[in-house]
Amino acid sequence: MTDPGISVVICVYTEDRWEDILAAVSSVRAQSYPALETLLVVDHNPALRERLAHAFEAADGVRVLPNAGPRGLSAGRNTGIAASRGEVIAFLDDDAVAERDWLRHLAAGYADPRVLAVGGRTVPSWASGRRPDWFPEEFDWVVGCTYRGLPPGRVRVRNVLGGNASFRRTAFEAAGGFATGIGRDGDRRPLGCEETELCIRLSRARPDAVLLIDDRAVIHHRVPRPRERFAYFRTRTYAEGLSKALVARSVGAAKGLESERRYTTRVLPAGVARGVRDALLGRPGGAGRAGAIVAGVLSAAGGYAAGSLRARRGGTTFSSAPVRPPLPAAPGRPPAPSPDPRSDTAHDPGSRPDRVPGPEPDPASRRDSVPEPGNRPDSAPEPEPEPGTRGGYE
């Protein structure tokens, strides 16, 4: 199988992130596996669109285009999907930078035709220079990053993280695009889970689909100082509960919350125990981390209850529609009709990846692997394992 052409979509919405946007684009242009193109989708901000168009007017392979749908991250991503030409569409947050081999590792996952999505590992880059003592690694999804509780290596998952993810074009042809009404909308409440809802829909439309996360595909996500504070932590966990209620409404609570049950019954209690132990040993932040985990669970539960009540009353709506490219996805690919402009991250906790079988791994791998310490599978998984999960603007 030939290496897939990858279009990279970066959704942007504010000039406040100008330097971050430039850094994100620069990291894509420096990839060891070159992107077919980079699409900057501007969310209803004409001034920013003009500024970006001027900045990249002479840049080969960079296109600037307006969000063709309603305001929000989901519609922006759908605009990028529809305008892209690659066989694979990758998404990068506008305040993140990708390591040089990011696209190479994403592309490697598509050697198996059953693989329809590949995500990577997102590392926090704290504005203060270090993680706050009280901030539990189990809740790094709050700042759009990979959280403690996931095994290393290449793993099969229920859903990928939208800020560091890629999909085959055929995934959108099978399941439609990202749903509006679930995820981020500029500076409004930090909702998420649009990736979760899409990936569950995809697995239903294509039961044979394999979704992966490869922790070698690394990006570094900036965490500004306001998001290092407990007030944001509490707001984001509450919003996650609201988002989970919407996902449960769309796909059913059994599927929408299957992995979160493991997360709350195994991963988080272990985190509380570690925090209490550290407090007893006099280590900084132990009690704060234990307390933050408890507070985060209660806040998310409150958000879920409020979101469920709102959904029953019909106070929240969202929709998804097919996303079809107006241009050929690759040489020789027939054109498809234009997308419905009405169609359309936040990190989704509760991951439960299954270990991925494969051939003997490369011993030179730089991290421990699954299923055996020190090893990393280099092939796509068998279809049998039950999917787990993972899943801003973050």
Side-chain angles (χ1 to χ4, degrees):
M1 181 178 177
T2 59
D3 294 335
I6 302 180
S7 298
V8 177
V9 174
I10 304 173
C11 295
V12 303
Y13 74 104
T14 176
E15 290 186 86
D16 292 342
R17 293 186 176 180
W18 179 257
E19 296 299 328
D20 293 331
I21 295 168
L22 297 183
V25 174
S26 179
S27 73
V28 174
R29 301 184 76 188
Q31 290 293 300
S32 61
Y33 183 104
L36 182 65
E37 59 186 347
T38 301
L39 287 77
L40 291 170
V41 182
V42 184
D43 194 9
H44 299 272
N45 187 333
L48 175 59
R49 179 159 55 91
E50 273 189 42
R51 189 178 178 188
L52 286 170
H54 178 73
F56 290 105
E57 62 183 350
D60 184 36
V62 179
R63 287 195 282 156
V64 179
L65 55 154
N67 179 359
R71 187 171 182 262
L73 180 58
S74 290
R77 287 174 174 167
N78 286 342
T79 297
I81 296 164
S84 64
R85 297 183 293 115
E87 177 188 346
V88 170
I89 301 97
F91 299 95
L92 179 66
D93 275 349
D94 62 344
D95 53 354
V97 292
E99 292 192 359
R100 179 171 169 78
D101 292 329
W102 175 59
L103 288 182
R104 181 175 300 281
H105 292 304
L106 293 182
Y110 292 102
D112 187 328
R114 297 169 299 174
V115 175
L116 295 188
V118 183
R121 178 164 56 99
T122 303
V123 179
S125 180
W126 304 95
S128 63
R130 61 187 295 271
R131 172 187 297 275
D133 288 340
W134 64 269
F135 203 112
E137 293 182 17
E138 292 83 359
F139 274 80
D140 275 4
W141 56 265
V142 165
V143 291
C145 296
T146 303
Y147 61 92
R148 184 168 188 163
L150 289 173
R154 182 185 289 174
V155 293
R156 187 173 181 178
V157 294
R158 181 190 66 185
N159 61 276
V160 295
L161 164 65
N164 181 5
S166 64
F167 294 83
R168 283 195 201 273
R169 183 175 300 280
T170 52
F172 301 111
E173 294 171 355
F178 292 93
T180 56
I182 295 182
R184 295 270 173 156
D185 182 358
D187 294 320
R188 289 171 53 186
R189 188 188 297 276
L191 299 173
C193 295
E194 63 270 39
E195 309 82 16
T196 306
E197 195 272 343
L198 170 62
C199 290
I200 293 174
R201 266 193 287 122
L202 174 59
S203 294
R204 287 182 169 179
R206 290 282 304 273
D208 61 331
V210 173
L211 286 67
L212 300 175
I213 285 177
D214 187 334
D215 72 354
R216 298 171 298 177
V218 180
I219 69 170
H220 297 264
H221 186 217
R222 189 174 69 84
V223 182
R225 287 184 182 273
R227 296 188 181 185
E228 297 182 7
R229 299 170 186 162
F230 184 73
Y232 180 79
F233 180 91
R234 184 178 56 203
T235 299
R236 177 67 190 89
T237 51
Y238 181 83
E240 182 72 13
L242 290 173
S243 301
K244 285 289 186 229
L246 288 175
V247 172
R249 178 188 172 198
S250 173
V251 301
K255 190 67 176 176
L257 300 176
E258 63 176 353
S259 298
E260 287 71 15
R261 293 187 180 96
R262 175 188 177 274
Y263 174 75
T264 55
T265 59
R266 298 185 188 180
V267 175
L268 296 186
V272 171
R274 277 190 297 271
V276 171
R277 179 201 62 193
D278 289 347
L280 293 175
L281 293 174
R283 295 171 180 167
R289 289 191 296 275
I293 291 174
V294 174
V297 171
L298 294 176
S299 181
Y304 184 83
S308 298
L309 180 61
R310 185 183 304 174
R312 285 197 296 270
R313 291 176 174 174
T316 304
T317 60
F318 63 93
S319 62
S320 60
V323 176
R324 299 185 178 91
L327 299 172
R333 185 184 183 90
S338 298
D340 180 348
R342 297 168 297 176
S343 69
D344 225 350
T345 146
H347 199 160
D348 174 27
S351 175
R352 182 175 173 269
D354 290 308
R355 309 235 170 174
V356 182
E360 287 298 318
D362 179 1
S365 172
R366 61 183 176 83
R367 288 196 62 192
D368 286 348
S369 148
V370 187
E372 302 229 323
N375 298 327
R376 175 182 303 280
D378 289 323
S379 69
E382 296 300 322
E384 282 75 17
E386 176 188 354
T389 179
R390 260 204 350 120
Y393 294 126
E394 280 294 355

